[in-house]
């Protein structure tokens, strides 16, 4: 029986990529050892690393005046690296809060910078609020404006890029990078933990406009100093080499699939099928307004939560894995990143309909 893994992260990787990695595991490119056992300074690895960066640049159409960094420390590592690199002590930075992850970014940033909450989007006391941009409170001289276009826990996606923001836009794309085209030039900095749409956890990718580099605080850890990382091609210290290798395989796979626009079409098809199944039945519920619904993370509740454990257990028996919702939200969540094929969402929606017939 084939199984489908709906985990929010670390998430499933493309089956073709896993197979290739398995084939090359012990002997990579005739080196007589694994890619994880060779020096990051070797010509072979340097070539791999450069190729991965090149493929990512092509996939996202990243302009030459942006540095692409492969960093340690996952998504959260960047929650502190960003204020350290882009702001000085005592300066203000604007944060939009639209869910659990942007809230966490705020909590970390407060250690370094004077955080101003520009606006809060989401459910407050069970009521949906999405204030218009002209009501947001922006600081006079903000070092940057941070937001999270796709909130992984809440299943909330910003339907637009904030406009008329003077400060550089900084976006946490951890759970949506490469899932749809993004106009990189609109941003000062984009970052993403790898384990949702790129590769294994631990690695993060930072895409930063080079004119923003060189202003890191004096006490910024060297391994988080963007300018230093850029100067050393992300090899100031030993990078997460195996994760970088797998990321490179995923980029190649994406190019073979037809690139980001093709993935976007497929992702829309997958999300539509799932939301339709939820909306058509009184048995399932997703309360996020349609315009703000995520294409990647789909939380849903059963009308009768006493059936939650039966739902999860039976789903697992059908090979539908990791559907349990985030501990903060409860209910269910299906994460349907690039690596999830349409057949996986079809299997899930078939099961959901069947479950209603039997248990509803
Ligand atoms: C998963 C996630 C993170 C955190 O990533 P870690 O690698 O666990 O630090 C940050 N932001 C968003 C939006 C995420 O989905």
């Amino acid at each position: 029986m084939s199984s489908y893994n709906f985990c929010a992260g670390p998430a499933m990787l493309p089956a073709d990529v896993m197979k290739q990695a398995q084939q090359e595991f012990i002997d990579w490119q005739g080196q007589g050892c694994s890619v994880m056992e060779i020096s990051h300074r070797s010509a072979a690895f340097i070539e791999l690393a450069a190729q991965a960066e090149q493929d990512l640049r092509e996939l996202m159409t990243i302009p030459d005046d942006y540095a692409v960094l492969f960093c340690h420390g996952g998504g959260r590592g960047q929650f502190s690296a960003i204020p350290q690199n882009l702001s000085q002590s005592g300066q203000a930075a604007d944060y939009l809060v639209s869910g659990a992850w942007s809230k966490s970014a705020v909590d970390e940033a407060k250690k370094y910078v004077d955080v101003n909450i520009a606006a809060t989007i989401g459910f407050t006391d069970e009521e949906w609020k999405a204030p218009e941009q002209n009501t947001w409170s922006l600081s006079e001289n903000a070092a940057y404006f941070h937001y999270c276009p796709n909130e992984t826990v809440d299943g909330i996606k910003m339907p637009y890029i904030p406009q008329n923001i003077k400060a550089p836009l900084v976006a946490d794309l951890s759970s949506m990078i490469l899932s749809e085209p993004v106009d990189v030039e609109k941003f000062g900095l984009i970052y993403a933990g790898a384990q949702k749409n790129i590769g294994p956890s631990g690695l993060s990718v930072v895409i930063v406009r080079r004119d923003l580099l060189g202003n890191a605080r004096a006490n910024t850890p060297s391994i988080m100093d963007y300018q230093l990382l850029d100067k050393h091609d992300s090899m100031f210290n030993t990078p997460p080499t195996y994760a970088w290798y797998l990321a490179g395989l995923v980029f190649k796979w994406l190019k073979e699939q037809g690139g980001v626009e093709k993935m976007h079409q497929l992702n829309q098809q997958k999300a539509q099928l799932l939301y339709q199944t939820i909306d058509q039945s009184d048995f399932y519920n997703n309360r996020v307004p349609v315009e703000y619904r995520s294409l990647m993370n789909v939380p849903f509740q059963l009308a009768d939560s006493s059936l939650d454990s039966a739902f999860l257990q039976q789903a697992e028996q059908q090979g539908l894995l990791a559907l349990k919702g985030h501990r903060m939200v409860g209910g269910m969540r299906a994460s349907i990143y690039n690596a999830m094929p349409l057949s996986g969402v079809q299997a899930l929606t078939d099961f959901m309909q069947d479950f209603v017939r039997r248990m509803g």
Side-chain angles (χ1 to χ4, degrees):
M1 182 186 74
S2 61
S3 56
Y4 295 105
N5 176 9
F6 293 90
C7 189
M12 69 176 291
L13 290 171
D16 294 343
V17 166
M18 294 302 281
K19 270 185 215 131
Q20 186 180 344
Q22 184 183 42
Q23 274 159 14
E24 301 178 337
F25 188 66
I26 286 176
D27 185 5
W28 178 65
Q29 293 194 346
Q31 303 264 334
C33 57
S34 167
V35 64
M36 89 171 85
E37 300 169 307
I38 64 170
S39 169
H40 57 298
R41 311 272 179 216
S42 64
F45 190 83
I46 287 171
E47 193 187 318
L48 174 162
Q51 188 63 52
E53 177 183 330
Q54 189 48 42
D55 288 339
L56 181 62
R57 281 184 180 276
E58 273 175 46
L59 282 163
M60 292 184 70
T61 330
I62 300 171
D64 288 341
D65 58 331
Y66 283 71
V68 175
L69 310 174
F70 290 78
C71 306
H72 296 272
R76 268 182 198 272
Q78 298 309 316
F79 291 177
S80 43
I82 286 159
Q84 287 176 313
N85 278 274
L86 301 189
S87 75
Q88 297 306 315
S89 176
Q91 219 181 345
D94 291 337
Y95 278 72
L96 178 71
V97 172
S98 56
W101 282 113
S102 44
K103 180 76 183 49
S104 288
V106 163
D107 291 343
E108 187 69 14
K110 278 182 177 163
K111 295 179 187 173
Y112 306 97
V113 76
D114 184 8
V115 171
N116 167 56
I117 308 291
T120 302
I121 288 176
F123 291 97
T124 1
D125 302 328
E126 300 295 303
E127 199 192 330
W128 174 261
K129 294 212 177 85
E132 299 286 330
Q133 285 181 83
N134 58 18
T135 68
W136 294 1
S137 84
L138 301 174
S139 315
E140 260 314 300
N141 285 306
Y144 58 87
F145 178 100
H146 179 282
Y147 80 115
C148 180
N150 186 73
E151 286 282 359
T152 323
V153 172
D154 313 76
I156 292 173
K157 183 193 178 198
M158 284 294 289
Y160 55 84
I161 297 176
Q163 304 290 315
N164 303 321
I165 308 277
K166 265 189 286 164
L169 276 186
V170 173
D172 177 358
L173 286 189
S174 294
S175 52
M176 69 168 285
I177 193 165
L178 295 165
S179 68
E180 64 180 78
V182 167
D183 188 355
V184 175
E185 287 191 64
K186 291 228 158 69
F187 297 87
L189 187 150
I190 284 169
Y191 67 103
Q195 69 272 30
K196 280 104 189 199
N197 243 347
I198 294 178
S201 58
L203 176 71
S204 57
V205 168
V206 174
I207 301 162
V208 55
R209 214 172 56 224
R210 283 211 171 87
D211 67 286
L212 296 172
L213 302 183
N215 303 311
R217 298 175 190 207
N219 58 0
T220 302
S222 299
I223 64 159
M224 293 196 152
D225 181 328
Y226 296 148
Q227 190 178 46
L228 203 63
L229 289 175
D230 185 30
K231 194 172 131 209
H232 290 271
D233 296 322
S234 305
M235 297 197 198
F236 172 72
N237 71 327
T238 315
T241 55
Y242 197 72
W244 197 332
Y245 153 80
L246 274 172
L249 294 188
V250 171
F251 299 153
K252 281 237 156 2
W253 177 82
L254 281 171
K255 285 172 76 177
E256 284 160 20
Q257 303 308 300
V260 173
E261 255 165 60
K262 193 67 198 296
M263 289 323 292
H264 188 208
Q265 287 168 18
L266 199 72
N267 288 329
Q268 283 173 311
Q269 221 183 329
K270 281 151 45 184
Q272 203 174 13
L273 177 60
L274 184 47
Y275 283 117
Q276 229 170 45
T277 305
I278 292 166
D279 292 342
Q280 274 168 2
S281 159
D282 293 338
F283 193 87
Y284 301 109
N285 178 42
N286 171 294
R287 58 185 196 147
V288 179
V290 172
E291 199 195 351
Y292 282 85
R293 282 176 168 179
S294 168
L295 294 185
M296 296 283 101
N297 310 99
V298 183
F300 60 94
Q301 283 80 40
L302 273 52
D304 178 359
S305 62
S306 72
L307 293 173
D308 282 6
S309 58
F311 181 93
L312 288 166
Q313 199 186 359
Q314 292 177 27
E316 204 173 297
Q317 279 164 7
Q318 309 265 325
L320 305 167
L321 313 178
L323 286 163
K324 193 172 163 62
H326 191 277
R327 60 195 140 76
M328 281 162 25
V329 179
M332 311 297 152
R333 174 175 50 170
S335 293
I336 48 176
Y337 302 115
N338 284 341
M340 176 62 67
L342 181 60
S343 61
V345 179
Q346 272 157 349
L348 173 61
T349 52
D350 287 349
F351 167 76
M352 287 168 70
Q353 283 164 348
D354 183 55
F355 191 81
V356 177
R357 275 192 290 271
R358 287 183 294 106
M359 316 284 282

